[in-house]
Amino acid sequence: MKQGIDVSYCQKNFDFNEAVNQEKKFCIVRIGEHNYMDDLFPQHLNGAIDAGMDVGVYFVARGLTPNDIEAEAQFFADSIKQNISAELKCGVWLDIEECYYDQKLSVQQLTDLVSSFITVMNRNGYDCGIYASYNMLNQMDVSQFADYVKFFPANYGPSCAFKEEHPEKQVILWQYSDSDGQLDLDVMYEEGE
């Protein structure tokens, strides 16, 4: 397994060289949410690349209707095309946050929204995976997602319960800690793990 991190607007003035010194090999950078890009996104992406880290990006969705979620996906795809020339070796990720709990969506409604987002990303040439907490993943019917869909569960503890419960799914990354609210810590599984 490779050790890595993910960063957002919460990590202002982050020292990526120090992260590399602590053996972090990759970084997943938040590009934005809904219909805007994070101000720190370019700084974080370039900082990680300059420090020698492999990179990926994620986007926080808020859409509650097919039209809204598809517009968000198109915004994400366009943001990547227009702003990133680096290879995204660590993937492109849809972040489904707990805000969806408050909307009282059914399992099928949430599953359909996520599927719509992934479909738009695929049409734009991006293999988009799903980042979500273990609890949010259980609010979807993951059996309905195509076999090529990758997963990045946030599941704090000694092991990744989602990976253990779904050996048929491609769990590529695992967020195993938030370092007491300071920084998300991740691992990337290598083939066979």
Side-chain angles (χ1 to χ4, degrees):
M1 289 188 283
K2 291 182 184 174
Q3 294 287 328
I5 56 174
D6 56 272
V7 297
S8 70
Y9 61 88
C10 298
Q11 283 77 39
K12 193 172 182 181
N13 300 317
F14 188 76
D15 188 340
F16 289 95
N17 289 311
E18 180 56 29
V20 169
N21 290 340
Q22 294 178 14
E23 314 235 339
K24 306 304 183 210
K25 305 288 187 193
F26 67 88
C27 182
I28 313 297
V29 180
R30 179 177 137 130
I31 199 169
E33 95 176 49
H34 184 50
N35 63 359
Y36 66 88
M37 286 180 58
D38 287 353
D39 291 341
L40 291 177
F41 166 69
Q43 178 183 336
H44 282 160
L45 186 71
N46 292 328
I49 292 168
D50 291 347
M53 302 174 97
D54 290 337
V55 294
V57 292
Y58 74 97
F59 178 86
V60 179
R62 300 287 183 200
L64 296 172
T65 68
N67 285 344
D68 288 346
I69 202 87
E70 289 170 12
E72 288 184 343
Q74 191 60 56
F75 177 81
F76 184 28
D78 291 344
S79 296
I80 295 170
K81 287 177 193 171
Q82 295 164 12
N83 296 285
I84 301 173
S85 58
E87 183 180 357
L88 298 174
K89 292 181 181 177
C90 301
V92 171
W93 302 94
L94 162 62
D95 181 349
I96 294 295
E97 295 280 340
E98 269 68 9
C99 64
Y100 282 94
Y101 278 136
D102 301 334
Q103 307 306 321
K104 299 189 174 34
L105 298 174
S106 70
V107 168
Q108 192 59 56
Q109 286 172 316
L110 184 56
T111 303
D112 289 346
L113 287 174
V114 171
S115 292
S116 294
F117 191 102
I118 290 170
T119 298
V120 171
M121 293 301 291
N122 289 346
R123 276 201 309 259
N124 280 274
Y126 297 107
D127 180 10
C128 183
I130 302 167
Y131 165 86
S133 71
Y134 176 76
N135 291 335
M136 282 307 302
L137 288 168
N138 285 326
Q139 299 298 310
M140 307 173 213
D141 182 357
V142 297
S143 71
Q144 293 184 34
F145 298 124
D147 291 343
Y148 62 79
V149 174
K150 297 174 177 68
F151 290 86
F152 178 4
N155 184 193
Y156 300 166
S159 64
C160 182
F162 182 81
K163 182 174 173 63
E164 292 168 358
E165 293 167 10
H166 296 278
E168 78 285 4
K169 294 298 181 187
Q170 291 192 61
V171 179
I172 304 299
L173 296 166
W174 168 36
Q175 185 185 97
Y176 66 89
S177 173
D178 67 357
S179 190
D180 294 323
Q182 300 302 308
L183 178 67
D184 293 334
L185 304 177
D186 311 316
V187 293
M188 180 182 291
Y189 294 104
E190 304 199 67
E191 197 166 339
E193 290 183 318

